[in-house]
Amino acid sequence: MEVNGRDDLKAPLLRPSDSVAITISEPNNKREKKTRTVRFRIGDIKCASCATSIESVLGKLNGVENAVVSPLQGEGVISYNPELVNAKKIKETIEDAGFPVDEFPEQDIAVCRLRIKGMMCTSCSESVERALLMVDGVKKAAVGVALEEAKIHFDPYLTDTDQIMEAIEDAGFGADLISSGNDVNKVHLTVEGINSPEDVAAIRSSLEAAEGVSNIEMDLGVNKVSVTYDPDLIGPRSIISCIQEAGHGSKFYNAHLYVAPRRREAEQQQEIRMYRNQFFLSCLFTVPVFVFSMVLPMLPPYGNWLENKIYNMLSVGMLLRWIFCTPVQFIIGRRFYVGSYHALRRISANMDVLVALGTNAAYFYSVYVVIKAFTSDKFEGQDFFETSAMLISFILLGKYLEVLAKGKTSDALSKLTELAPETAHLVTLDKDGSLVSEMEISTQLLQRNDIIKIVPGAKVPVDGIVIDGQSHVNESMITGEARPIAKRTGDKVIGGTMNENGCLLIKATHVGSETALSQIVQLVEAAQLARAPVQKLADKISKFFVPTVVAAAFTTWLAWFITGQVGLYPEHWIPQATTKFELALQFGISVLVVACPCALGLATPTAVMVATGKGASQGVLIKGGNALEKAHKVKTVVFDKTGTLTLGKPEVVSAVTFSGYSKENFCDMAAAAEANSEHPIAKAVVEHVKRQHQKYGSQTAHVTEVKDFEVHTGAGVSGKVGEAIVLVGNKRLMRACSIPVGPEVEDYISKNEQHARTCVLVAIDGKVAGAFAVSDPVKPDAKRVITFLRSMRISSIMVTGDNLATAKAIAQEVGIDNVFAEVDPAGKADKIKELQMKGMAVAMVGDGINDSPALVAADVGMAIGAGTDVAIEAADIVLIKSNLEDVVTGIDLSRKTMSRIRLNYVWALGYNILGMPIAAGILFPFTGIRLPPWLAGACMAASSISVVCSSLLLQSYKKPLNVQNQNTREPFHYSKPA
């Protein structure tokens, strides 16, 4: 394998689709790097005095450090301290001075990720989104209730992460900063030895003098220094050296990596412990209430003492139930009151409101019964203290089981983040390649171009290229490829993979957030935050769900109470020691607490989380619920040919000359013209010519430089080599340039196209001088994949820029009936649109830059083999391997996921649709069956647990097509998910 060029080594293997560029101002050694610059176009500036008056007004504004207004250009450039003033205030100040600001500039957009605490259902995530979008400067906010995270795009000139987190906290939720957009190339260090302002100044001065350092932040409270840098110029180890070199004399600074606490795991464990402890504490009080109300009264004479009267009709049992229930209602159940307060303050309602209403109705009616019994010697009433206590206990049990299950939905993502090893063996080589030194360092301290030693059984720490040694590397954890891949000099290796048997020396090409593993994690995290269109159903329902439930509960209570008062049902329906009012109240409370909005909110995001994580572990990166939902509707898959259906490694199998040209001259001319082309066939021609020179001992030292080089999209290239005009391409290029193609050439083309070979014609000075026959073998799994897609009732189409005869030969070999040949990149996108006009849901599978227009145009774009960066950004699904089986996996996984989401909605809506009528007493007149409030609460808790567990079943997903078993000859049977 040829070692890639310098530029290729700098490009990340994967890039997130929603990456946002952050412009960081250049360092200024004379002042703190808190200054920002904004440019306005200002109207009505008629002379220099107008500019001077604007500058004067701005100079008086606290926080403005410099203002320059040009009367000729009508522009103002203002430098300011963002901690004291913002761009909006500056704009308003200029307008107040009587000068309109015609253009408010497009600002740099920053991105931050926050962990949100306290979200329970869809209405909570919607409340957080509303609160975020109300913040001045926030452009876009995506909140994931299952992931418990938010991703916010904001204008750093108008707001910052502190204001954003404050808005979330004002809405009643907790917020912690996970990362900000400028953390891409940022190292956090703990520095020992800082004791005075002079130390701070010395360290800052040393860092600012270093080339590549763009920003420095110092937190003296914990002696933490955060440095943003350009990885092409400097790295973490060099930054540590700069800090240590700042010491002089007896003064010494020691810097090492700042180890941030693993908040996510710690907070998950803390939440699990909190619900567990609250449940056990609740049981400590609830069990006695249950025993006093439902066990001992059924076991005379053991429960007779509970009926002893304390005063008037107030009994011992009633008083004990009140005493044990109160801590459960107000201390353990305080979280429901707090949640209800924040929800109602936002003019919304959630599960906390339903629980608070239901338990308060039961508790305060029971308090009324206690007071009435205490003040009357004839009153007989039944309290519901056990309803309130048991209801809260069951809900806490449900939440405990739910957070346990939800933690498992992100297992795949957690495993991905843990793949990279913590340490690496850094080696130093001399000019002869001999080992000079070896040391073990943290993986986070690795820099580009470092030489790393990978021993057998060790993990590869970062992406790189093998410079010495050979081995087999297990890439299954990244690509899903079961067999270890042979690696030798020049081959790429991926961080997080396992070295099997040999010792390798690799040169680091991508480190930190640029590694393929980091990019995969970022893609999966972004996918889990993205909402699927199917979730809109839950969002719509959640807006009126709680008010509808409250209205239904009140209607239920009123209906049972009125019908009881007017005698529409017989007296024997009323349970012993219960009044008509109490029976109606129990039905109303049951309706309140049986309805569960949480299950609806979790139906989609939990399934998407598990599916995207599972897909990532098998080498299929699905960019969110939208891609999943579109992929399951696909009925037609359009394949590119080169690199998709074929191996993408074309080789020249024959070369001929026409018109009496010498073969050596013909080959040199062709190689010179093709040397500047990136097309795989062009590279094959150049490689063939090089091999010919080596075979016959040619002394040609370099390829002749080509002038006036031009690429003819979908046809070939042209240029001037020496004094000759050379064209290299297909028949279309020859026709376009009016170059005749004689019978001898046509015959050669025809014979090769029948064998699925592509013919590359070379014209010199207006005549066809010769041709190359290029063969690109079909991938071994292509035919099986096309056959399997047909069994899934998905049709396959091939669209290629190659000639029709070669395209048909390849299509026949793999089993594709519909072929569109000689199509340029724009034409591919047009073909996709034509298919869509016929009502087809189309997926496009491609690997190169020329496929990106079609990938964007398709309903679902699939970039195969981690193709080019452009293709990856344009795609909805990224297939890390080059195996076509992952096309099937992507579509099948999306079908299974959408089927699971629909099943989740059945569970969630089923509980509510069936549970609410039963709780309202619809079966009671016919069967005597009714749902007590405490049992209704248990049903509500069970609905959320069932939805999460249903989503977790996706973790058992198996690929429907295993390319490894190529010897299998059993017929395909694809069962479409229900």
Side-chain angles (χ1 to χ4, degrees):
M1 179 178 176
E2 185 183 3
V3 179
N4 294 43
R6 183 181 181 90
D7 293 335
D8 185 64
L9 294 181
K10 292 181 181 179
L13 295 179
L14 291 171
R15 288 179 183 168
S17 60
D18 56 351
S19 59
V20 178
I22 306 298
T23 303
I24 302 171
S25 58
E26 289 297 317
N28 187 329
N29 295 343
K30 295 183 180 180
R31 66 179 178 224
E32 296 281 327
K33 297 189 182 181
K34 297 286 186 182
T35 302
R36 288 178 181 161
T37 302
V38 65
R39 184 185 298 269
F40 293 108
R41 183 170 295 280
I42 305 171
D44 292 350
I45 300 180
K46 299 175 181 177
C47 59
S49 62
C50 294
T52 304
S53 62
I54 295 172
E55 290 174 358
S56 176
V57 170
L58 290 174
K60 296 176 183 177
L61 190 62
N62 185 30
V64 173
E65 298 182 0
N66 186 36
V68 178
V69 179
S70 169
L72 295 176
Q73 296 177 343
E75 285 187 351
V77 179
I78 301 100
S79 299
Y80 66 97
N81 187 331
E83 293 184 352
L84 301 176
V85 70
N86 58 31
K88 186 179 180 183
K89 179 64 176 175
I90 295 171
K91 172 179 177 285
E92 292 172 351
T93 302
I94 298 171
E95 290 175 336
D96 290 343
F99 299 92
V101 176
D102 297 333
E103 290 184 14
F104 191 64
E106 287 287 328
Q107 307 293 356
D108 295 330
I109 300 300
V111 184
C112 69
R113 284 176 55 229
L114 303 176
R115 181 158 293 112
I116 311 297
K117 303 174 185 175
M119 291 194 301
M120 300 177 68
C121 56
T122 307
S123 63
C124 295
S125 63
E126 287 185 340
S127 298
V128 174
E129 280 191 15
R130 282 197 300 268
L132 287 170
L133 293 173
M134 288 174 67
V135 177
D136 190 25
V138 171
K139 305 297 182 184
K140 179 184 174 183
V143 182
V145 64
L147 197 60
E148 296 179 338
E149 287 185 11
K151 187 173 185 179
I152 302 104
H153 296 72
F154 64 95
D155 185 343
Y157 288 93
L158 298 178
T159 188
D160 55 26
T161 52
D162 292 334
Q163 293 181 26
I164 291 171
M165 288 193 290
E166 187 178 337
I168 294 172
E169 288 164 0
D170 287 343
F173 301 92
D176 288 327
L177 181 65
I178 300 174
S179 66
S180 57
N182 56 0
D183 284 347
V184 176
N185 291 306
K186 196 175 197 177
V187 63
H188 305 279
L189 303 171
T190 299
V191 182
E192 299 172 359
I194 300 179
N195 301 313
S196 66
E198 289 77 15
D199 295 331
V200 174
I203 292 172
R204 181 179 288 278
S205 176
S206 178
L207 288 172
E208 287 176 345
E211 185 182 9
V213 172
S214 53
N215 191 32
I216 305 163
E217 299 170 13
M218 302 187 75
D219 185 352
L220 301 182
V222 291
N223 288 343
K224 177 184 171 186
V225 178
S226 300
V227 182
T228 306
Y229 62 94
D230 183 347
D232 288 331
L233 301 175
I234 198 170
R237 295 200 311 281
S238 303
I239 291 171
I240 290 175
S241 297
C242 285
I243 294 174
Q244 292 173 344
E245 289 169 3
H248 52 84
S250 60
K251 196 65 184 176
F252 178 74
Y253 305 114
N254 182 29
H256 52 85
L257 282 173
Y258 171 76
V259 181
R262 302 185 69 175
R263 286 186 176 179
R264 184 181 185 86
E265 292 81 359
E267 287 172 0
Q268 280 184 347
Q269 292 302 316
Q270 183 182 357
E271 187 180 24
I272 290 170
R273 285 195 300 271
M274 180 196 72
Y275 279 115
R276 183 194 63 196
N277 294 341
Q278 284 193 341
F279 170 66
F280 287 149
L281 185 61
S282 176
C283 287
L284 188 65
F285 294 96
T286 301
V287 170
V289 175
F290 175 73
V291 171
F292 294 153
S293 62
M294 306 185 75
V295 178
L296 289 179
M298 304 297 177
L299 301 173
Y302 303 106
N304 292 346
W305 61 277
L306 292 171
E307 299 300 323
N308 294 339
K309 300 296 186 287
I310 298 174
Y311 185 80
N312 283 340
M313 299 301 292
L314 179 63
S315 66
V316 172
M318 195 178 292
L319 181 62
L320 288 174
R321 288 191 291 271
W322 186 17
I323 292 171
F324 279 97
C325 176
T326 300
V328 178
Q329 181 69 33
F330 296 108
I331 298 175
I332 300 169
R334 178 179 176 273
R335 62 185 310 278
F336 300 111
Y337 288 102
V338 173
S340 300
Y341 165 74
H342 287 299
L344 295 173
R345 200 183 69 166
R346 299 188 303 266
I347 317 176
S348 65
N350 57 10
M351 190 195 80
D352 291 333
V353 174
L354 295 179
V355 175
L357 281 173
T359 57
N360 278 337
Y363 179 84
F364 286 107
Y365 175 75
S366 300
V367 171
Y368 162 76
V369 170
V370 170
I371 295 172
K372 191 74 174 175
F374 180 77
T375 57
S376 172
D377 57 356
K378 295 180 180 178
F379 176 78
E380 290 185 3
Q382 178 69 33
D383 65 82
F384 298 137
F385 286 121
E386 80 284 351
T387 294
S388 169
M390 291 175 67
L391 182 56
I392 290 173
S393 296
F394 272 114
I395 290 171
L396 290 174
L397 173 61
K399 293 302 293 182
Y400 170 59
L401 296 175
E402 183 184 324
V403 295
L404 274 177
K406 276 170 66 178
K408 296 184 182 299
T409 59
S410 57
D411 273 357
L413 187 58
S414 299
K415 289 175 182 176
L416 279 174
T417 57
E418 293 169 0
L419 283 177
E422 294 183 358
T423 60
H425 291 275
L426 178 68
V427 299
T428 306
L429 304 178
D430 60 17
K431 293 180 181 180
D432 298 326
S434 301
L435 183 66
V436 175
S437 65
E438 179 179 339
M439 62 183 294
E440 188 174 7
I441 66 169
S442 170
T443 302
Q444 297 178 51
L445 293 177
L446 290 175
Q447 302 175 182
R448 279 186 187 169
N449 300 320
D450 279 344
I451 307 300
I452 306 157
K453 180 181 178 182
I454 317 293
V455 298
K459 286 184 177 180
V460 179
V462 293
D463 296 350
I465 194 162
V466 178
I467 62 170
D468 188 39
Q470 60 182 17
S471 179
H472 284 79
V473 176
N474 184 354
E475 297 182 345
S476 61
M477 59 286 294
I478 301 292
T479 66
E481 180 65 59
R483 293 176 298 181
I485 308 297
K487 299 290 181 181
R488 54 183 60 86
T489 303
D491 289 346
K492 289 181 179 180
V493 289
I494 304 173
T497 56
M498 180 74 73
N499 185 25
E500 294 277 327
N501 48 15
C503 185
L504 297 174
L505 287 183
I506 70 165
K507 184 177 184 180
T509 57
H510 305 93
V511 296
S513 60
E514 293 181 346
T515 63
L517 181 60
S518 296
Q519 300 292 333
I520 289 170
V521 170
Q522 290 175 36
L523 280 175
V524 174
E525 286 176 339
Q528 293 180 348
L529 277 175
R531 286 191 178 180
V534 71
Q535 196 173 342
K536 291 178 181 177
L537 172 64
D539 295 342
K540 289 178 181 178
I541 293 174
S542 68
K543 291 178 181 177
F544 57 83
F545 185 88
V546 173
T548 303
V549 170
V550 173
F554 179 77
T555 303
T556 300
W557 169 79
L558 197 62
W560 278 100
F561 181 65
I562 292 174
T563 53
Q565 291 298 317
V566 299
L568 292 181
Y569 60 79
E571 293 289 335
H572 69 266
W573 281 14
I574 305 172
Q576 190 175 1
T578 303
T579 66
K580 295 173 182 177
F581 175 84
E582 291 167 352
L583 180 64
L585 183 63
Q586 285 193 2
F587 281 126
I589 293 172
S590 294
V591 171
L592 266 180
V593 298
V594 79
C596 182
C598 293
L600 280 171
L602 293 171
T604 299
T606 53
V608 170
M609 277 185 71
V610 177
T612 52
K614 186 67 177 177
S617 68
Q618 299 195 357
V620 180
L621 304 182
I622 302 170
K623 295 183 180 178
N626 192 29
L628 272 170
E629 186 162 348
K630 290 191 294 184
H632 97 283
K633 300 175 182 176
V634 167
K635 293 297 180 185
T636 302
V637 178
V638 176
F639 291 93
D640 176 45
K641 180 180 76 70
T642 305
T644 303
L645 289 171
T646 64
L647 292 174
K649 297 178 181 178
E651 290 185 354
V652 175
V653 293
S654 73
V656 297
T657 58
F658 307 110
S659 306
Y661 281 92
S662 72
K663 196 161 189 177
E664 184 176 359
N665 185 44
F666 150 73
C667 286
D668 288 343
M669 290 281 195
E674 292 281 50
N676 292 326
S677 175
E678 291 296 319
H679 197 282
I681 292 179
K683 292 180 180 179
V685 171
V686 174
E687 283 299 313
H688 172 75
V689 174
K690 285 182 181 178
R691 284 196 301 269
Q692 292 299 307
H693 284 314
Q694 293 169 359
K695 183 177 179 181
Y696 296 107
S698 172
Q699 298 301 313
T700 304
H702 64 276
V703 176
T704 308
E705 184 180 355
V706 63
K707 298 178 181 178
D708 302 328
F709 177 78
E710 184 179 356
V711 175
H712 303 270
T713 307
V717 298
S718 64
K720 191 174 183 181
V721 182
E723 296 300 321
I725 304 298
V726 180
L727 288 87
V728 184
N730 54 24
K731 279 198 298 184
R732 187 147 41 107
L733 178 62
M734 302 299 143
R735 286 197 297 265
C737 297
S738 302
I739 295 175
V741 178
E744 185 183 7
V745 180
E746 290 281 8
D747 185 53
Y748 178 78
I749 293 172
S750 178
K751 286 180 180 178
N752 280 284
E753 286 178 349
Q754 290 174 6
H755 294 90
R757 295 170 183 169
T758 301
C759 285
V760 179
L761 305 180
V762 181
I764 301 174
D765 290 332
K767 293 182 179 180
V768 178
F772 296 97
V774 181
S775 175
D776 188 4
V778 171
K779 289 181 178 177
D781 57 325
K783 187 171 184 179
R784 292 188 72 229
V785 168
I786 300 302
T787 306
F788 197 89
L789 286 172
R790 192 177 294 117
S791 73
M792 296 171 70
R793 298 181 181 177
I794 295 175
S795 60
S796 300
I797 296 173
M798 184 168 75
V799 179
T800 178
D802 210 340
N803 64 80
L804 182 60
T806 302
K808 281 188 173 180
I810 295 289
Q812 186 175 3
E813 188 175 345
V814 300
I816 293 178
D817 298 324
N818 298 323
V819 179
F820 298 101
E822 300 180 12
V823 182
D824 60 19
K828 291 181 181 180
D830 292 336
K831 290 294 180 185
I832 297 285
K833 292 172 184 175
E834 285 178 19
L835 295 169
Q836 291 170 331
M837 291 290 287
K838 296 177 183 177
M840 299 180 184
V842 182
M844 171 69 194
V845 186
D847 70 324
I849 294 174
N850 63 332
D851 297 320
S852 56
L855 290 171
V856 173
D859 296 290
V860 180
M862 295 185 179
I864 191 168
T868 64
D869 295 329
V870 176
I872 288 166
E873 290 184 16
D876 300 296
I877 298 176
V878 179
L879 311 176
I880 296 177
K881 292 184 296 178
S882 293
N883 284 347
L884 283 171
E885 70 158 348
D886 288 340
V887 174
V888 174
T889 302
I891 296 172
D892 182 64
L893 180 58
S894 68
R895 289 185 176 184
K896 294 287 197 305
T897 305
M898 292 307 300
S899 175
R900 183 60 53 183
I901 289 172
R902 285 192 287 267
L903 183 61
N904 287 350
Y905 276 124
V906 169
W907 279 110
L909 290 171
Y911 269 102
N912 291 300
I913 292 171
L914 295 177
M916 285 179 65
I918 294 172
I922 194 170
L923 299 179
F924 186 63
F926 313 105
T927 62
I929 296 174
R930 64 189 179 94
L931 204 61
W934 62 268
L935 188 55
C939 289
M940 176 173 70
S943 64
S944 293
I945 298 168
S946 64
V947 165
V948 176
C949 291
S950 172
S951 295
L952 284 173
L953 290 176
L954 283 169
Q955 287 188 340
S956 62
Y957 174 80
K958 296 287 189 297
K959 289 185 178 184
L961 185 60
N962 191 347
V963 179
Q964 310 305 323
N965 300 327
Q966 293 187 10
N967 295 325
T968 304
R969 291 293 181 266
E970 296 177 5
F972 297 113
H973 298 288
Y974 179 80
S975 57
K976 188 177 178 180

